[in-house]
Each structure stands twice: as structure tokens, then as C-alpha cells.
Amino acid sequence: MVTTHCSWRTLEEWRGMKLPLSTASNEASRMFDASLTQFVGYWEDASVGGISTTLPKMLQADPDFVMGYVLTNSLHLYGGGASVHNNPDLKESVRKMSTLCDRQVNLSVREKKHVKAVQLLADGYIVDACNVWEDILLEHPGDILALKCAYLGYIYLGDSAQLRDSVARILPHWKTSSPYYGFLLGMHAFGLEETNMYERAEKQARKALELNRHDCWSTHTLSHVLEMTGRQDQGIEFLTSTVSDWEGGKSLACHNYWHLALHHIEKGQYQEAVDIFDSQVCQALVSFREGDFANVVDLLHPLRYKIFVIGGSNAQRDVFNLLLIHAALKSPRVEHHRIARSMLAERKALKENSPLTDRLLGKVVALHWG
């Protein structure tokens, strides 16, 4: 997969960026950069064997490389769904990182803060971890690892405003010639989209893709914009015509295919959606599957304005709203029918040209609810 950055940085280059690394190994430095770049860009660089190769090479080059453990542990805590409570290897890796941090007197304040943030993340204190990473960025706005880790935390927390503002705060400090600059634009674009600033989000995402058409996250962001603004045909055309650009980003490709399925579902093209993934989310919920639609409403309706605490994007959380609407439509209880009507009015206001909303409103009219 093509990228805008594959000249991995030496220790001297990291020092020149005012982000020195506490290691004597240039090989560890280069593999740190290779791993970090793949982590930020959601892609695998075949020229170095992918991130599954560069991470162990980094620590083989310097087994005491603290920032190497920071990067490795951050990636596993965020990317693999692992926990120190159920993964002994990860628990040991976090412990070793902490021990090395305590022993190495020459670590910079920035590196020590990274260790503290990962410790907090491992213990489940995501908000506190993000605060530490933000503290790093105040003094070191060029620290892409701190930004990436804070950003992922905000996704987990469902904190849309911070998704937008965390990147906006550091963008003025970056040169447009930086190899990471396009990734920053894509990250900022997603924050704009998640705070309903669709026009600006689209402009930013397209600019990022002009810099690097293989930017999987910017592809993902633009798909969000097209879905949330009811442009299903454009969304389908965009994703299908650029598959060769983004499907190489293995860690995000499946999610982008999921967005393609959402566009088909909005158009009522259910078979096309099923061809992309085997079953819809609703089928995973026992009550809905068993036809107990009233119970689905009773369970989900009290939580609908609290669902943001599970994290994820607006489009992902919209699945819960759609599940609730469908259950309310099918429920035998009249008060649930009124809930469906009210929620569809809300959805129409947010997505005025959504064909799915219009079809569901048609069902409301057909039932002659007063």
C-alpha cells in the first residue's frame, strides 16, 4: 500500500523534531517510526512486513526501549480489545514498561507522561489517560502518538467535541509538508462530522484524500458525511470506485465495508447489504429475534440519550435508534407506536432526505395513528 511516509526516522531526526527517544538504537528508532506510522494510518506496510513485524523488531533492537513499550501497549489496549485482566502477556508488558520507567533516570518528562497515560488506560481510566496525553500535546503539539491515543480515547468515550477540538488545537503547529498532515486533516474531518458540521467535514476529508488517496480514515470520514447527509448513491459510488485505495488498510477495511452496507440499507437494498455482511445487528439481540418487541422498547427507550457512554460514532449509535424504532413499530402497545412516531420526526429533522425515514413514516401514516 502506498503511503506518503516510508523514510523511517533516526534518533537524530527525532531530536530535531524536539521529540527525543531514550534509546541508543537507531534501528529501534526506525522501527518505532514504522510502527507508529502504520498505527496512525490504519495500514500495513508490506515493505517492512507490516506492524506485526516492526513492533517486535523494535523491541528486539532495544529490549529496554520504554517508548517502544508505550506504543506496543497502547496499540494492544486500543486495537485488540485486550485487557490486563484477561491477557497475562499484556499485563506483563505493562508491568515491564512501568519498571523500566522507574529505573531509567534519563527519561524525559514527556516519555514519563506517556507511561503514566498507558498505565491509566490499562486500569480503565480513559478520561484520565486522555488528560495526560492532552497535557503532553500542550508542550509537544507534534507528538502524533499522544494525539492518536487521546483521539482513540475520545472515540471510546463518544466525546464528539473533543474528537474535533483535540486535532484543531495542534493543527496550526504542523507544516503542510509533514508526512502525517493528511492524516491529521482526516482525523479533524471526523470530529467535524461527529459534531454535525458536515460541509466543513467533507471539505477537510476530500483535502486529506487529495494528499493521500490511500488514507483509510479519511475514506471512512467521507462515507460518514455522505451517509449522514442522505447521499446514498454518492456513498455507494464513492466506496465502490475506491475499493482498491482503501481495502489494503486491513484494520479499517471491514468497517468501511460496513458503511457501504449502511448506504444500501438506507436505499432498501437489503440483499446487497446482506451480501456485504451476513446478518443485521438487530438479529443479535435476543428479544428482537424472539419477537418480544415491547420488551426491546422497554429496555432501550430509557437508555437512548445515554447510549453515547458506550462510545463509537453517530452512525454506529444510530443502529440502536433504528432498532428501537423498528421494535416500537412492531410492538402491540399503543404508547410504543407514539415513541416510534416521535423518533421518526427527530430523525427526519436530522436527515431530511433519508429514504429509510420516509419509508418508516409511511408505515406510521398507514396505521392511522392519532
Side-chain angles (χ1 to χ4, degrees):
M1 186 174 182
V2 177
T3 179
T4 55
H5 175 48
C6 58
S7 180
W8 315 124
R9 284 168 282 206
T10 64
L11 291 170
E12 183 178 354
E13 289 173 301
W14 284 110
R15 283 193 293 269
M17 297 170 61
K18 298 183 180 179
L19 298 170
L21 297 173
S22 295
T23 177
S25 170
N26 263 320
E27 177 65 8
S29 170
R30 292 190 183 98
M31 290 300 97
F32 177 83
D33 192 16
S35 300
L36 177 59
T37 301
Q38 292 173 92
F39 181 35
V40 171
Y42 292 97
W43 60 279
E44 296 276 322
D45 187 341
S47 71
V48 288
I51 198 167
S52 61
T53 297
T54 56
L55 282 174
K57 276 189 174 181
M58 172 184 65
L59 292 176
Q60 287 167 9
D62 182 358
D64 296 333
F65 183 22
V66 171
M67 285 302 292
Y69 281 100
V70 166
L71 174 56
T72 300
N73 293 334
S74 298
L75 191 150
H76 289 310
L77 286 165
Y78 274 136
S83 166
V84 294
H85 302 294
N86 61 20
N87 188 317
D89 292 337
L90 179 57
K91 182 177 181 179
E92 173 58 22
S93 184
V94 172
R95 186 202 65 78
K96 185 168 184 178
M97 174 194 70
S98 302
T99 300
L100 289 171
C101 179
D102 292 338
R103 290 177 179 174
Q104 295 183 16
V105 296
N106 293 325
L107 283 181
S108 66
V109 173
R110 180 183 69 91
E111 290 171 310
K112 291 178 181 178
K113 287 181 178 179
H114 267 292
V115 170
K116 180 181 179 181
V118 174
Q119 290 169 334
L120 288 166
L121 180 65
D123 289 336
Y125 299 106
I126 301 179
V127 173
D128 294 332
C130 289
N131 288 340
V132 175
W133 279 311
E134 289 289 356
D135 188 43
I136 292 172
L137 289 167
L138 286 174
E139 189 171 352
H140 303 280
D143 191 330
I144 192 72
L145 178 58
L147 177 67
K148 175 72 172 183
C149 288
Y151 191 85
L152 289 174
Y154 299 137
I155 290 177
Y156 272 57
L157 294 166
D159 193 336
S160 301
Q162 279 283 45
L163 281 174
R164 178 194 64 210
D165 296 343
S166 63
V167 187
R169 284 191 288 268
I170 61 97
L171 262 177
H173 298 276
W174 282 71
K175 295 180 180 179
T176 57
S177 59
S178 166
Y180 289 130
Y181 190 73
F183 293 140
L184 294 182
L185 293 180
M187 293 167 72
H188 187 224
F190 186 63
L192 291 169
E193 183 276 329
E194 289 295 290
T195 50
N196 306 320
M197 303 172 73
Y198 300 125
E199 184 175 349
R200 290 185 60 192
E202 180 172 354
K203 181 179 179 181
Q204 199 82 312
R206 291 190 183 279
K207 185 176 180 180
L209 288 169
E210 287 175 5
L211 293 173
N212 179 10
R213 73 178 193 274
H214 299 286
D215 183 345
C216 307
W217 187 254
S218 294
T219 295
H220 159 262
T221 298
L222 184 53
S223 180
H224 266 263
V225 171
L226 296 173
E227 197 273 329
M228 295 304 292
T229 54
R231 290 181 282 168
Q232 283 73 42
D233 289 332
Q234 290 183 46
I236 292 169
E237 192 280 330
F238 166 63
L239 287 173
T240 55
S241 66
T242 59
V243 168
S244 61
D245 292 339
W246 53 261
E247 70 175 352
K250 297 179 181 178
S251 62
L252 200 59
C254 181
H255 188 71
N256 282 340
Y257 275 116
W258 179 78
H259 276 284
L260 178 58
L262 284 183
H263 288 301
H264 282 296
I265 289 172
E266 281 281 4
K267 288 176 64 65
Q269 298 171 343
Y270 300 113
Q271 186 56 51
E272 287 84 347
V274 170
D275 289 342
I276 296 171
F277 54 84
D278 293 332
S279 61
Q280 298 180 28
V281 176
C282 298
Q283 295 172 346
L285 299 177
V286 175
S287 291
F288 197 94
R289 183 182 61 202
E290 294 179 349
D292 189 357
F293 303 115
N295 189 49
V296 174
V297 178
D298 288 340
L299 289 171
L300 289 183
H301 188 251
L303 301 175
R304 62 178 302 242
Y305 283 111
K306 300 177 183 178
I307 204 69
F308 71 93
V309 300
I310 69 170
S313 66
N314 289 338
Q316 289 168 324
R317 292 191 293 271
D318 190 43
V319 170
F320 286 87
N321 284 329
L322 287 172
L323 176 66
L324 178 53
I325 289 170
H326 279 284
L329 284 168
K330 293 175 179 290
S331 172
R333 289 159 54 179
V334 175
E335 64 267 31
H336 289 172
H337 301 167
R338 296 193 183 105
I339 288 173
R341 181 178 59 185
S342 298
M343 290 186 66
L344 285 168
E346 295 171 7
R347 202 168 194 271
K348 183 69 173 177
L350 288 172
K351 298 174 66 175
E352 186 176 357
N353 55 345
S354 165
L356 175 58
T357 301
D358 291 338
R359 289 196 301 274
L360 293 174
L361 281 170
K363 292 185 178 182
V364 172
V365 174
L367 289 172
H368 301 288
W369 292 337

